[in-house]
């Protein structure tokens, strides 16, 4: 699978807001996932949100969305796909914040995390998909820090195969996000 990361921090650039008016605290009330419109329509997104917000997870989510990709918006090379396998696509994003206040405030920690995540995900044999992490400024409970926007995308010859690819990519990216956070927690990094 293709995986990459970037940093988008500065004036006028998006900031992850962990306290926006539509925020649903899935850590406190996992059943509230059924009030997230995208999650009610897409079981794969629902599963990812529940996993990322689970009691044993070091992270929590603040916002998400999904959309279809047209064939002309897909670079087959970037998805590890042939042109015939890149006629349709499906994508999503999830904004993710760290639970630990010190890690939330550490740019170095987030940079290390995205490097580990992309290294791990590139080793997975998941063709027709890609993940991009964007390290952004973030706000949560009146504290400034950093967070990640996780973009997952899959493609296929048709909508059904594109959705199937996206589903695998999203599941792998969510699992890696949880595992890497736990690994860094154990090693004290």
């Amino acid at each position: 699978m293709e995986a990459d990361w970037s940093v988008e921090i500065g004036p006028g650039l998006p900031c992850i807001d962990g306290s926006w008016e539509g925020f649903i605290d899935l850590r406190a009330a996992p059943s509230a996932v059924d009030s997230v419109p995208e999650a009610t329509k897409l079981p794969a997104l629902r599963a990812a949100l529940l996993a990322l917000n689970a009691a044993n997870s070091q992270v929590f989510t603040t916002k998400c969305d999904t959309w279809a990709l047209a064939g002309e918006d897909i670079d087959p090379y970037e998805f590890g796909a042939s042109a015939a396998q890149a006629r349709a696509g499906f994508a999503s994003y999830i904004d993710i914040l760290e639970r630990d206040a010190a890690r939330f405030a550490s740019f170095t920690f987030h940079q290390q995390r995205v490097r580990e995540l992309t290294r791990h995900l590139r080793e997975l044999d998941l063709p027709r998909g890609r993940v991009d992490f964007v390290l952004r400024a973030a706000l949560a409970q009146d504290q400034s820090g950093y967070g990640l926007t996780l973009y997952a995308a899959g493609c296929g010859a048709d909508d059904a195969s594109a959705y199937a690819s996206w589903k695998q990519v999203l599941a792998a990216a969510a699992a890696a996000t949880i595992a890497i956070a736990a690994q860094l927690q154990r090693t004290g990094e």
Side-chain angles (χ1 to χ4, degrees), residues 23-131:
F23 173 69
I24 300 170
D25 189 349
L26 297 178
R27 295 168 301 159
S31 63
V33 73
D34 295 326
S35 65
V36 177
E38 298 85 359
T40 60
K41 297 175 197 165
L42 301 166
L45 181 61
R46 184 181 198 279
L49 291 173
L50 288 173
L52 289 164
N53 288 285
N56 64 337
S57 173
Q58 304 298 317
V59 300
F60 68 98
T61 64
T62 66
K63 210 174 201 184
C64 65
D65 200 4
T66 62
W67 61 95
L69 295 170
E72 60 268 11
D73 296 328
I74 302 167
D75 180 341
Y77 177 77
E78 289 186 1
F79 280 77
S82 68
Q85 297 170 323
R87 293 188 179 133
F90 198 78
S92 62
Y93 85 83
I94 302 174
D95 284 337
I96 300 169
L97 297 178
E98 177 69 28
R99 288 186 188 199
D100 179 82
R103 289 175 178 220
F104 172 74
S106 172
F107 179 84
T108 302
F109 169 78
H110 283 83
Q111 189 176 35
Q112 180 183 4
R113 174 190 279 170
V114 293
R115 285 182 174 149
E116 284 296 312
L117 281 166
T118 54
R119 183 198 55 75
H120 172 79
L121 290 168
R122 285 176 183 160
E123 294 174 0
L124 299 180
D125 184 21
L126 284 175
R128 297 177 309 282
R130 67 173 292 117
V131 172

